[in-house]
Amino acid sequence: MLAKRMILCLDVKDGRTVKGTNFGNLKDAGDIVELAKRYSDEGADELVFLDITASHERRKTMLTWVEQVAEAVNIPFTVGGGISSDLDVSNLLSKGADKVSINTAALIKPALIDTLALCFGRQCIVVAIDARKEDGNWNVYINGGRKKTSYELFSWAKEAESRGAGEILFTSMDHDGTNQGFACEAVARLSEELTIPVIASGGAGKMEDFYDAFTLGKADAALAAGVFHYGKLAIPDVKRYLDSREIEIRI
Amino acid sequence: MKIVVVNYGAGNVFSVMMALKRLGYEAELSRNSVVINSADKVIFPGVGQASEAMKQLKATGLDQLIPQLKMPVLGICLGMQLMCQDTEEEDTVGLNIFQLSVKKFVGDYKIPHMGWNNIYDLKSPLFEGIESGERMYFVHSYYVPNSEHSIAKCDYSGEFAAAIHKDNFYGCQFHPEKSADFGEKVLSNFLKM
C-alpha cells in the first residue's frame, strides 16, 4: 500500500538553511547538504528546498547547491523559489532536482503550469499555494506571503490541477511556524476535491499533528521544517508513532 | 566495467549518474551508438512525457539501437514503459522489446501514483538481498500490466508490474536512484549481472 509521506522542508537563503515563524523572523538553521543528508538518513521520505534568496545571484547559487544535494542524497527532492520559466526548470532538473515547486509565477501567469507539465511531465510540477483564512475565505498570497491576490485557495488549486500540476503543496500561513497543528479542515477539503496528491504544510508541532494531517486532513504527505531543525521532534520517533497508530508509513 | 547512461534529452539522467557515483562507479552519459554499443551495462532512464521522449529517441536513431543491444539494459520508469509495445500516453508506439501495452491508471485513486509503495513477488537476481514488501519510490500515471515478464509486482488501484525482464532487458517502474538504500541495492545488483 502506498505510504503517507513525511516531507522535510528546508528554506534556503544565501546558501544556508533558515527557518522563520509566520513568514518572518528568520533564524539560521544550518548547512544545506549536511541537513539534507541527515534528514534523508533519518528516514525523511522526501525533501523540499525553497530558496528565498532575494538577490539576482539566486539562480546561479541554486544550481550549485542543487547539484550538491543530488550528489549526497538518495531520496527525491523538490526545489522551489523564484522559478518562472521552462529554462529555470530545465536547469534545475538537469542538476538532479526531481520536482520543482512554483508559486508566485504560476499565479501571475497560470499558463506556465500548462507549459511546464507539457515539457517535463506533470509528475515533476508541484504548485505551492500560500493561503490565509480571512472572513471565512482562504485567500491566496504571493511573494512569500507578502502580497494578497484575488485568488481563493480551492478554486485556484482546482485550476492548477486542470492545467497540469502534479501535486499541490498547501501552506496555511495562519498555522505556519505556530507548532499548533496543520489546517486539517482545509487540507481535507483540498484532498477531497482534487485527484492529485496534496501536501499539508504549516503548523507541525507534535507527533499527533502528523497523525491528524493524515487522518482528519486526508493529506497524502505532510511537510514540516522548524520542528525538526531545532530537534523538538525526530523523524524516526514520529514514524514509529504513526506506524503504531496504523498509518501506512515507510519505516 | 563500462556503464553508459542513455542521454536522449528526456528525463533526469543526472540523478542516475549521481546514484552510480555514490556506488563507486563513473558512468558515461551518451547518445552515441558506438559508445552505447561498447558498454558492459546500459541504463535507459526516463522521466517525463512518452511521446516527446519517443520523438527524441527517433531523432537520434536510439529507437533502432536500443532493441538490438546485447548487454544487460535497465530501463527506469518511463524508460521501462518505452521498452514496451505501446502506451496509452498520447497513443505512443514504443520500442516493442516487451509485447506489452502501457495503460493509464483509472479509478478513485490519486494520480500520479507518487511515493513509497511495497514491491512483492520478487523473482530476479535484481532483487537479491531485498525482502518482499520493501518500499520503493514511484512516480507515474501510466503502468505496465502484469505478465509473464513481471519480476516484481506492486499494488495501486490494482496490481501492476513493478519490474519486468526479458532476455538481457530489465525494467523497473520505481526509481532505484531515488529509493534510498534498497534502490541503490537494485542498481548494484544490476551492475553485477
Side-chain angles (χ1 to χ4, degrees), chain B residues 60-146:
Chain B
T60 47
L62 289 166
D63 63 321
Q64 300 297 316
L65 176 73
I66 294 171
Q68 289 166 23
L69 294 174
K70 299 290 175 230
M71 73 293 279
V73 178
L74 177 65
I76 298 174
C77 195
L78 182 62
M80 155 169 156
Q81 297 190 355
L82 293 176
M83 294 198 299
C84 295
Q85 188 176 308
D86 49 47
T87 164
E88 287 184 0
E89 189 171 8
E90 318 253 307
D91 289 323
T92 307
V93 174
L95 301 177
N96 203 20
I97 296 166
F98 295 89
Q99 280 72 56
L100 299 169
S101 291
V102 183
K103 307 278 183 204
K104 190 177 193 346
F105 277 122
V106 282
D108 260 351
Y109 282 71
K110 297 281 180 84
I111 296 163
H113 171 222
M114 183 183 289
W116 299 81
N117 206 338
N118 320 93
I119 58 168
Y120 53 91
D121 284 358
L122 311 180
K123 282 185 214 146
S124 164
L126 199 60
F127 298 107
E128 200 185 299
I130 296 169
E131 302 265 324
S132 178
E134 291 297 357
R135 291 183 188 276
M136 299 289 176
Y137 187 79
F138 291 83
V139 189
H140 58 127
S141 302
Y142 295 81
Y143 68 93
V144 176
N146 272 323

Side-chain angles (χ1 to χ4, degrees), chain A residues 10 18 32 49 79 81 86 95 111 116 133 143-144 149 153 169 174 198 231 246:
Chain A
L10 294 91
V18 289
I32 304 173
F49 301 88
V79 176
D86 52 350
K95 293 294 180 190
L116 297 181
K133 198 175 186 182
N143 295 341
T149 68
L153 169 64
L169 163 52
D174 297 322
V198 174
E246 290 177 356

